[in-house]
């Protein structure tokens, strides 16, 4: 076990954090070396297995990320933007692969992540699942094949607790559609229409977000023209798919050159 890559999970108490703990513990290709939570969190200093309602597994929750990262070969991070950019700098300092599934990142955050990627491997994606990344590729190809007479709408649904909208995956799909058309998404995006908005502009890419219940993740890319529609859809029913993808990324990153990668690189797509 000692030679297997050591993994640190940040935000271990969250739903994705706990799923990641289970996924790494069940893997025969990696070992869990630490879990990180914010200072003052009730899990800090306790065994993560006991915190999750089971028996001790010999892995403590710490509020010292740098010390944890120094003992690991990879960090898997599904937290919040402010924490993620701090973790990026610390993971780079420790030369650990940093897998980022955090969404809601803005230009300032992305700039700091890019700076960290000059010193270490960073794998960042709005969605870690194989199916979604195939959907991204299909969206790019369909958008490239159809002209602006085909309206593009990205519709996503998630559980009531999700705090950002559109989802990171929806933005990935919008970026893919824009790339297929040879345009910049920020120049053509319509988000959250409300009130008297006027007719839809030709060539625009629209987004709609649904929040409710315990929906894991649903994404539709709709290409609509007069008399016909093409709908590309991905439905996620178990967030374990994201945890498995993140672990795959952490293992893939071992031995890669410093830089910023995405799941298309990991999957060879």
């Amino acid at each position: 076990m000692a030679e297997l890559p050591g993994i640190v999970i940040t935000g271990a108490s969250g739903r994705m954090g706990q799923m990641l703990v289970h996924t790494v513990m069940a893997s025969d290709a990696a070992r869990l070396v630490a879990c990180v939570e914010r200072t003052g969190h009730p899990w800090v200093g306790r065994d993560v297995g006991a915190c999750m309602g089971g028996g001790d597994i010999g892995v403590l929750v710490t509020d010292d990320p740098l010390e944890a990262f120094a003992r690991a070969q990879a960090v898997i991070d599904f937290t919040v933007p402010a924490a993620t950019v701090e973790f990026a700098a610390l993971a780079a300092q420790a030369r650990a692969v940093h897998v980022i599934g955090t969404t809601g990142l803005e230009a300032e955050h992305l700039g700091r992540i890019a700076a960290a990627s000059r010193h270490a491997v960073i794998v960042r994606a709005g969605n870690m699942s194989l199916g979604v990344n195939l959907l991204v590729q299909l969206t790019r190809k369909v958008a490239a094949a159809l002209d602006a007479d085909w309206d593009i709408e990205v519709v996503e649904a998630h559980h009531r607790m999700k705090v950002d909208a559109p989802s990171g995956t929806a933005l990935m799909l919008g970026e893919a559609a824009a790339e297929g058309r040879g345009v910049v998404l920020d120049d053509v995006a319509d988000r959250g229409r409300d009130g008297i908005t006027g007719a839809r502009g030709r060539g625009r890419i629209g987004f709609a977000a649904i929040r409710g219940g315990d929906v894991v993740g649903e994404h539709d890319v709709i290409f609509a023209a007069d008399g016909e529609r093409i709908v590309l859809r991905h439905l996620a029913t178990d967030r374990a798919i994201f945890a498995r993808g993140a672990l795959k990324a952490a293992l893939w990153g071992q031995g890669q050159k410093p830089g910023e990668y995405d799941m298309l690189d990991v999957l060879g797509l």
Side-chain angles (χ1 to χ4, degrees), residues 50-72:
C51 291
M52 291 169 52
D56 287 0
I57 60 174
V59 177
L60 296 181
V61 180
T62 179
D63 60 0
D64 185 347
L66 182 57
E67 185 277 332
F69 296 178
R71 296 188 281 116

PDB file of all heavy atoms in Angstrom, residues 50-72:
ATOM      1  N   ALA A  50     -15.195   7.594  11.569  1.00  0.00           N
ATOM      2  CA  ALA A  50     -16.135   7.790  12.667  1.00  0.00           C
ATOM      3  C   ALA A  50     -17.045   8.986  12.393  1.00  0.00           C
ATOM      4  O   ALA A  50     -18.247   8.953  12.688  1.00  0.00           O
ATOM      5  CB  ALA A  50     -15.384   7.982  13.980  1.00  0.00           C
ATOM      6  N   CYS A  51     -16.470  10.040  11.812  1.00  0.00           N
ATOM      7  CA  CYS A  51     -17.275  11.223  11.498  1.00  0.00           C
ATOM      8  C   CYS A  51     -18.394  10.898  10.518  1.00  0.00           C
ATOM      9  O   CYS A  51     -19.484  11.477  10.583  1.00  0.00           O
ATOM     10  CB  CYS A  51     -16.391  12.317  10.898  1.00  0.00           C
ATOM     11  SG  CYS A  51     -15.223  13.066  12.058  1.00  0.00           S
ATOM     12  N   MET A  52     -18.139   9.949   9.627  1.00  0.00           N
ATOM     13  CA  MET A  52     -19.114   9.577   8.618  1.00  0.00           C
ATOM     14  C   MET A  52     -20.075   8.502   9.114  1.00  0.00           C
ATOM     15  O   MET A  52     -20.879   7.983   8.332  1.00  0.00           O
ATOM     16  CB  MET A  52     -18.388   9.120   7.346  1.00  0.00           C
ATOM     17  CG  MET A  52     -17.666  10.263   6.640  1.00  0.00           C
ATOM     18  SD  MET A  52     -16.529   9.730   5.318  1.00  0.00           S
ATOM     19  CE  MET A  52     -17.585   8.687   4.319  1.00  0.00           C
ATOM     20  N   GLY A  53     -19.985   8.160  10.388  1.00  0.00           N
ATOM     21  CA  GLY A  53     -20.939   7.236  10.969  1.00  0.00           C
ATOM     22  C   GLY A  53     -20.508   5.793  10.996  1.00  0.00           C
ATOM     23  O   GLY A  53     -21.296   4.908  11.348  1.00  0.00           O
ATOM     24  N   GLY A  54     -19.235   5.525  10.668  1.00  0.00           N
ATOM     25  CA  GLY A  54     -18.720   4.165  10.696  1.00  0.00           C
ATOM     26  C   GLY A  54     -17.636   4.010  11.745  1.00  0.00           C
ATOM     27  O   GLY A  54     -17.575   4.763  12.717  1.00  0.00           O
ATOM     28  N   GLY A  55     -16.762   3.037  11.528  1.00  0.00           N
ATOM     29  CA  GLY A  55     -15.642   2.835  12.433  1.00  0.00           C
ATOM     30  C   GLY A  55     -14.424   3.628  12.006  1.00  0.00           C
ATOM     31  O   GLY A  55     -14.365   4.176  10.897  1.00  0.00           O
ATOM     32  N   ASP A  56     -13.443   3.717  12.888  1.00  0.00           N
ATOM     33  CA  ASP A  56     -12.205   4.406  12.565  1.00  0.00           C
ATOM     34  C   ASP A  56     -11.508   3.730  11.385  1.00  0.00           C
ATOM     35  O   ASP A  56     -11.484   2.497  11.286  1.00  0.00           O
ATOM     36  CB  ASP A  56     -11.264   4.399  13.773  1.00  0.00           C
ATOM     37  CG  ASP A  56     -11.720   5.340  14.882  1.00  0.00           C
ATOM     38  OD1 ASP A  56     -12.767   6.002  14.706  1.00  0.00           O
ATOM     39  OD2 ASP A  56     -11.036   5.403  15.920  1.00  0.00           O
ATOM     40  N   ILE A  57     -10.919   4.552  10.510  1.00  0.00           N
ATOM     41  CA  ILE A  57     -10.165   4.010   9.367  1.00  0.00           C
ATOM     42  C   ILE A  57      -8.705   4.459   9.413  1.00  0.00           C
ATOM     43  O   ILE A  57      -7.933   4.173   8.497  1.00  0.00           O
ATOM     44  CB  ILE A  57     -10.802   4.415   8.027  1.00  0.00           C
ATOM     45  CG1 ILE A  57     -10.832   5.949   7.871  1.00  0.00           C
ATOM     46  CG2 ILE A  57     -12.208   3.831   7.900  1.00  0.00           C
ATOM     47  CD1 ILE A  57     -11.312   6.416   6.501  1.00  0.00           C
ATOM     48  N   GLY A  58      -8.332   5.183  10.470  1.00  0.00           N
ATOM     49  CA  GLY A  58      -6.944   5.597  10.620  1.00  0.00           C
ATOM     50  C   GLY A  58      -6.575   6.840   9.850  1.00  0.00           C
ATOM     51  O   GLY A  58      -5.386   7.106   9.636  1.00  0.00           O
ATOM     52  N   VAL A  59      -7.553   7.626   9.428  1.00  0.00           N
ATOM     53  CA  VAL A  59      -7.298   8.861   8.682  1.00  0.00           C
ATOM     54  C   VAL A  59      -7.986  10.007   9.419  1.00  0.00           C
ATOM     55  O   VAL A  59      -9.211  10.015   9.574  1.00  0.00           O
ATOM     56  CB  VAL A  59      -7.822   8.777   7.237  1.00  0.00           C
ATOM     57  CG1 VAL A  59      -7.615  10.115   6.511  1.00  0.00           C
ATOM     58  CG2 VAL A  59      -7.139   7.649   6.479  1.00  0.00           C
ATOM     59  N   LEU A  60      -7.197  10.963   9.873  1.00  0.00           N
ATOM     60  CA  LEU A  60      -7.737  12.084  10.628  1.00  0.00           C
ATOM     61  C   LEU A  60      -8.122  13.248   9.721  1.00  0.00           C
ATOM     62  O   LEU A  60      -7.533  13.447   8.653  1.00  0.00           O
ATOM     63  CB  LEU A  60      -6.715  12.566  11.657  1.00  0.00           C
ATOM     64  CG  LEU A  60      -6.336  11.591  12.773  1.00  0.00           C
ATOM     65  CD1 LEU A  60      -5.321  12.242  13.711  1.00  0.00           C
ATOM     66  CD2 LEU A  60      -7.572  11.127  13.546  1.00  0.00           C
ATOM     67  N   VAL A  61      -9.081  14.026  10.182  1.00  0.00           N
ATOM     68  CA  VAL A  61      -9.459  15.270   9.512  1.00  0.00           C
ATOM     69  C   VAL A  61      -8.604  16.386  10.108  1.00  0.00           C
ATOM     70  O   VAL A  61      -8.485  16.509  11.325  1.00  0.00           O
ATOM     71  CB  VAL A  61     -10.952  15.578   9.724  1.00  0.00           C
ATOM     72  CG1 VAL A  61     -11.333  16.887   9.021  1.00  0.00           C
ATOM     73  CG2 VAL A  61     -11.812  14.417   9.222  1.00  0.00           C
ATOM     74  N   THR A  62      -7.998  17.177   9.233  1.00  0.00           N
ATOM     75  CA  THR A  62      -7.102  18.240   9.680  1.00  0.00           C
ATOM     76  C   THR A  62      -7.543  19.576   9.105  1.00  0.00           C
ATOM     77  O   THR A  62      -8.241  19.644   8.094  1.00  0.00           O
ATOM     78  CB  THR A  62      -5.653  17.957   9.226  1.00  0.00           C
ATOM     79  OG1 THR A  62      -4.797  19.031   9.651  1.00  0.00           O
ATOM     80  CG2 THR A  62      -5.557  17.825   7.716  1.00  0.00           C
ATOM     81  N   ASP A  63      -7.130  20.675   9.763  1.00  0.00           N
ATOM     82  CA  ASP A  63      -7.360  22.010   9.218  1.00  0.00           C
ATOM     83  C   ASP A  63      -6.052  22.636   8.742  1.00  0.00           C
ATOM     84  O   ASP A  63      -5.969  23.849   8.541  1.00  0.00           O
ATOM     85  CB  ASP A  63      -8.057  22.910  10.243  1.00  0.00           C
ATOM     86  CG  ASP A  63      -7.240  23.081  11.529  1.00  0.00           C
ATOM     87  OD1 ASP A  63      -6.135  22.515  11.628  1.00  0.00           O
ATOM     88  OD2 ASP A  63      -7.727  23.781  12.449  1.00  0.00           O
ATOM     89  N   ASP A  64      -5.026  21.790   8.538  1.00  0.00           N
ATOM     90  CA  ASP A  64      -3.718  22.245   8.054  1.00  0.00           C
ATOM     91  C   ASP A  64      -3.485  21.647   6.670  1.00  0.00           C
ATOM     92  O   ASP A  64      -2.873  20.585   6.535  1.00  0.00           O
ATOM     93  CB  ASP A  64      -2.619  21.798   9.019  1.00  0.00           C
ATOM     94  CG  ASP A  64      -1.246  22.346   8.649  1.00  0.00           C
ATOM     95  OD1 ASP A  64      -1.093  22.874   7.521  1.00  0.00           O
ATOM     96  OD2 ASP A  64      -0.317  22.232   9.468  1.00  0.00           O
ATOM     97  N   PRO A  65      -3.969  22.307   5.609  1.00  0.00           N
ATOM     98  CA  PRO A  65      -3.877  21.710   4.284  1.00  0.00           C
ATOM     99  C   PRO A  65      -2.454  21.506   3.786  1.00  0.00           C
ATOM    100  O   PRO A  65      -2.167  20.493   3.145  1.00  0.00           O
ATOM    101  CB  PRO A  65      -4.648  22.683   3.388  1.00  0.00           C
ATOM    102  CG  PRO A  65      -4.693  23.969   4.148  1.00  0.00           C
ATOM    103  CD  PRO A  65      -4.692  23.590   5.588  1.00  0.00           C
ATOM    104  N   LEU A  66      -1.554  22.429   4.070  1.00  0.00           N
ATOM    105  CA  LEU A  66      -0.201  22.278   3.553  1.00  0.00           C
ATOM    106  C   LEU A  66       0.462  21.039   4.119  1.00  0.00           C
ATOM    107  O   LEU A  66       1.120  20.278   3.381  1.00  0.00           O
ATOM    108  CB  LEU A  66       0.639  23.518   3.863  1.00  0.00           C
ATOM    109  CG  LEU A  66       2.076  23.473   3.311  1.00  0.00           C
ATOM    110  CD1 LEU A  66       2.088  23.253   1.806  1.00  0.00           C
ATOM    111  CD2 LEU A  66       2.823  24.751   3.673  1.00  0.00           C
ATOM    112  N   GLU A  67       0.307  20.789   5.407  1.00  0.00           N
ATOM    113  CA  GLU A  67       0.904  19.593   6.008  1.00  0.00           C
ATOM    114  C   GLU A  67       0.305  18.338   5.383  1.00  0.00           C
ATOM    115  O   GLU A  67       1.017  17.368   5.107  1.00  0.00           O
ATOM    116  CB  GLU A  67       0.654  19.609   7.520  1.00  0.00           C
ATOM    117  CG  GLU A  67       1.326  18.469   8.294  1.00  0.00           C
ATOM    118  CD  GLU A  67       0.539  17.174   8.278  1.00  0.00           C
ATOM    119  OE1 GLU A  67      -0.700  17.229   8.162  1.00  0.00           O
ATOM    120  OE2 GLU A  67       1.170  16.083   8.364  1.00  0.00           O
ATOM    121  N   ALA A  68      -1.007  18.356   5.132  1.00  0.00           N
ATOM    122  CA  ALA A  68      -1.658  17.204   4.512  1.00  0.00           C
ATOM    123  C   ALA A  68      -1.184  17.012   3.080  1.00  0.00           C
ATOM    124  O   ALA A  68      -0.857  15.892   2.656  1.00  0.00           O
ATOM    125  CB  ALA A  68      -3.178  17.384   4.552  1.00  0.00           C
ATOM    126  N   PHE A  69      -1.115  18.106   2.316  1.00  0.00           N
ATOM    127  CA  PHE A  69      -0.709  18.011   0.917  1.00  0.00           C
ATOM    128  C   PHE A  69       0.725  17.507   0.787  1.00  0.00           C
ATOM    129  O   PHE A  69       1.060  16.798  -0.172  1.00  0.00           O
ATOM    130  CB  PHE A  69      -0.826  19.365   0.223  1.00  0.00           C
ATOM    131  CG  PHE A  69      -2.230  19.907   0.116  1.00  0.00           C
ATOM    132  CD1 PHE A  69      -2.459  21.155  -0.455  1.00  0.00           C
ATOM    133  CD2 PHE A  69      -3.332  19.192   0.585  1.00  0.00           C
ATOM    134  CE1 PHE A  69      -3.738  21.672  -0.564  1.00  0.00           C
ATOM    135  CE2 PHE A  69      -4.631  19.706   0.491  1.00  0.00           C
ATOM    136  CZ  PHE A  69      -4.821  20.953  -0.091  1.00  0.00           C
ATOM    137  N   ALA A  70       1.579  17.870   1.750  1.00  0.00           N
ATOM    138  CA  ALA A  70       2.986  17.464   1.693  1.00  0.00           C
ATOM    139  C   ALA A  70       3.136  15.954   1.817  1.00  0.00           C
ATOM    140  O   ALA A  70       4.163  15.397   1.416  1.00  0.00           O
ATOM    141  CB  ALA A  70       3.774  18.174   2.798  1.00  0.00           C
ATOM    142  N   ARG A  71       2.128  15.277   2.347  1.00  0.00           N
ATOM    143  CA  ARG A  71       2.181  13.817   2.506  1.00  0.00           C
ATOM    144  C   ARG A  71       1.480  13.079   1.363  1.00  0.00           C
ATOM    145  O   ARG A  71       1.371  11.853   1.404  1.00  0.00           O
ATOM    146  CB  ARG A  71       1.520  13.418   3.833  1.00  0.00           C
ATOM    147  CG  ARG A  71       2.228  13.930   5.059  1.00  0.00           C
ATOM    148  CD  ARG A  71       1.654  13.357   6.342  1.00  0.00           C
ATOM    149  NE  ARG A  71       0.420  14.013   6.767  1.00  0.00           N
ATOM    150  CZ  ARG A  71      -0.754  13.437   6.853  1.00  0.00           C
ATOM    151  NH1 ARG A  71      -0.896  12.164   6.506  1.00  0.00           N
ATOM    152  NH2 ARG A  71      -1.821  14.107   7.266  1.00  0.00           N
ATOM    153  N   ALA A  72       1.016  13.825   0.373  1.00  0.00           N
ATOM    154  CA  ALA A  72       0.181  13.221  -0.671  1.00  0.00           C
ATOM    155  C   ALA A  72       0.764  13.436  -2.054  1.00  0.00           C
ATOM    156  O   ALA A  72       1.627  14.286  -2.268  1.00  0.00           O
ATOM    157  CB  ALA A  72      -1.230  13.816  -0.607  1.00  0.00           C
TER     158      ALA A  72
END
